[in-house]
Amino acid sequence: VQLQASGGGLVQTGGSLRLSCAPSGRTFSGQVLGWFRRAPGKDREFVAAIRWSGGSTRYADSVKGRFTISKDNAANTVYLQMTTLKPEDTAVYYCAVDAQNSIWSSWSTEDKYDYWGQGTQVTVSS
């Protein structure tokens, strides 16, 4: 599965961006779709995830209340709506697919994800 992440850019503190992730050549079905990010000099970290079937979600504490993960079945696309952005949100954002449809408590674990997109840069200026 090849994933295409898009929507990154440069935004001021307090601004918003919406990231998109779509697979090429495949339709999402029962998998878990996740967003991770890697800030300069830091390890990649979990941001949010959604189960394609049913729509259950999970968020990192650092983005709760500011970011919303959603899906569009017709468009076969997962979105990450980011609001009230902070400089510490600056990172390369990656979407990923957990094809094994792991349980909710595992969604933040990077090793559970089988396929990764190329990443899209989000830069929040102060």
Side-chain angles (χ1 to χ4, degrees):
V1 176
Q2 290 187 327
L3 301 172
Q4 301 294 326
S6 61
L10 174 63
V11 65
Q12 292 185 331
T13 296
S16 300
L17 281 174
R18 188 178 76 163
L19 306 183
S20 301
C21 177
S24 58
R26 182 166 177 167
T27 302
F28 289 136
S29 57
Q31 302 95 336
V32 174
L33 289 305
W35 286 98
F36 288 74
R37 66 186 181 187
R38 187 195 302 274
K42 294 187 177 181
D43 293 333
R44 189 156 56 185
E45 64 175 2
F46 171 74
V47 175
I50 187 168
R51 191 189 304 279
W52 190 258
S53 174
S56 299
T57 59
R58 180 171 182 173
Y59 296 91
D61 289 342
S62 59
V63 306
K64 275 181 185 176
R66 300 190 298 122
F67 291 10
T68 302
I69 189 170
S70 63
K71 61 184 179 72
D72 184 328
N73 290 32
N76 197 36
T77 300
V78 173
Y79 302 101
L80 185 68
Q81 179 68 50
M82 306 185 295
T83 63
T84 320
L85 282 161
K86 306 174 182 179
E88 51 263 45
D89 294 317
T90 294
V92 177
Y93 284 71
Y94 300 88
C95 62
V97 173
D98 168 11
Q100 305 307 313
N101 197 15
S102 301
I103 59 175
W104 186 86
S105 59
S106 299
W107 291 5
S108 61
T109 304
E110 194 174 328
D111 291 347
K112 291 294 185 181
Y113 292 82
D114 307 286
Y115 306 100
W116 293 82
Q118 81 286 3
T120 184
Q121 176 70 48
V122 172
T123 302
V124 184
S125 63
S126 56

